[in-house]
Amino acid sequence: MKKIIISLCLITSAIYFPQQAYSVYYTRPNVNIKFVDSNTTAEQYLQKALANEKLGNITGAISDCSDAIRRDSNYVPAYMNRARLYNKNGNFLAASADYGKVLRLEPTNYEALYQRAETYRKTRNDMGAISDYNKLIDKNYRTADAYVGRGLVNYNMKRYSYTLKDLEKALELYPKDSDKYNSTLVLIKQIQENSSIKSTLTGVD
């Protein structure tokens, strides 16, 4: 069981949630931004946020994103980046709220939906996470990753048969010999070979 828990931590942090997933929301950090005034735009505040993040000032970066939102309450990149930074700081409830705001502004922003599902999973909002993963699977967006995410929620809920079913579905979708494919395959084998789990496994209709 200990090996499985360690594998879950390594896989979810290093494989399934790459930083580049957010790149569409990045503007190029301008580390030369030293001050702002009443004419500063939301986009400029976001650049300042990214510069602060690059310098390791996460609190300042979150504040800059908030300034961008105050300048333009419909500016989706500021919400996406603030949510990402909240996640980085461990403020998962605030992150999920920002993703929710994005989804109200852009109901078809499936990256926001995926990231909210991930955040729900971290906070053990299991049913919220499963609901979001189900929508992603229905929309065919990051489908394999969504199956893995849903499988991990099922694992947390000790629904191991459903975990295996979801992971095996993800395995069908990932390119063979990719890091995600190999990591998922290892995880499936560890679950199947764990004696305390094996006795609970039942068929899934």
Side-chain angles (χ1 to χ4, degrees):
M1 181 69 77
K2 185 176 181 181
K3 283 185 178 179
I4 294 174
I5 293 173
I6 292 173
S7 296
L8 286 170
C9 293
L10 291 174
I11 289 171
T12 55
S13 62
I15 300 296
Y16 294 115
F17 321 124
Q19 187 72 16
Q20 59 263 33
Y22 303 100
S23 60
V24 67
Y25 295 103
Y26 278 9
T27 56
R28 183 177 179 179
N30 182 352
V31 295
N32 293 318
I33 294 178
K34 296 181 180 179
F35 63 92
V36 294
D37 58 30
S38 59
N39 295 318
T40 303
T41 66
E43 291 84 356
Q44 289 171 324
Y45 274 120
L46 181 56
Q47 286 192 352
K48 185 170 178 283
L50 297 174
N52 267 321
E53 180 188 12
K54 188 173 182 179
L55 295 171
N57 183 3
I58 303 302
T59 300
I62 290 172
S63 178
D64 292 331
C65 287
S66 297
D67 285 335
I69 290 166
R70 277 190 286 272
R71 185 67 68 185
D72 181 356
S73 61
N74 295 324
Y75 188 45
V76 166
Y79 287 107
M80 288 295 291
N81 277 280
R82 189 172 70 174
R84 177 179 59 81
L85 291 164
Y86 276 141
N87 264 321
K88 203 170 185 178
N89 247 9
N91 193 346
F92 302 126
L93 292 178
S96 61
D98 273 354
Y99 290 129
K101 176 64 176 179
V102 171
L103 289 167
R104 288 191 292 275
L105 291 170
E106 296 181 355
T108 59
N109 190 321
Y110 299 126
E111 183 60 27
L113 184 65
Y114 176 76
Q115 297 302 334
R116 188 176 70 175
E118 290 297 292
T119 305
Y120 280 161
R121 182 176 61 77
K122 293 173 188 175
T123 56
R124 290 305 306 270
N125 181 350
D126 295 332
M127 299 316 296
I130 286 176
S131 175
D132 281 355
Y133 287 129
N134 287 344
K135 292 172 186 175
L136 290 161
I137 292 167
D138 183 60
K139 296 298 182 181
N140 200 30
Y141 182 84
R142 296 186 68 166
T143 311
D145 291 341
Y147 274 116
V148 168
R150 193 175 72 178
L152 296 177
V153 174
N154 281 319
Y155 182 90
N156 287 336
M157 298 173 71
K158 302 187 185 304
R159 304 196 311 181
Y160 301 122
S161 294
Y162 289 94
T163 298
L164 288 173
K165 183 178 179 181
D166 280 340
L167 295 179
E168 287 165 356
K169 187 63 179 178
L171 205 62
E172 294 174 9
L173 298 173
Y174 283 135
K176 287 189 175 180
D177 297 325
S178 67
D179 288 341
K180 290 183 179 182
Y181 179 94
N182 292 330
S183 297
T184 303
L185 183 61
V186 168
L187 184 55
I188 288 172
K189 289 180 178 178
Q190 288 179 337
I191 293 173
Q192 289 173 331
E193 293 170 2
N194 185 276
S195 57
S196 62
I197 291 177
K198 190 182 297 185
S199 62
T200 70
L201 292 177
T202 57
V204 179
D205 293 335

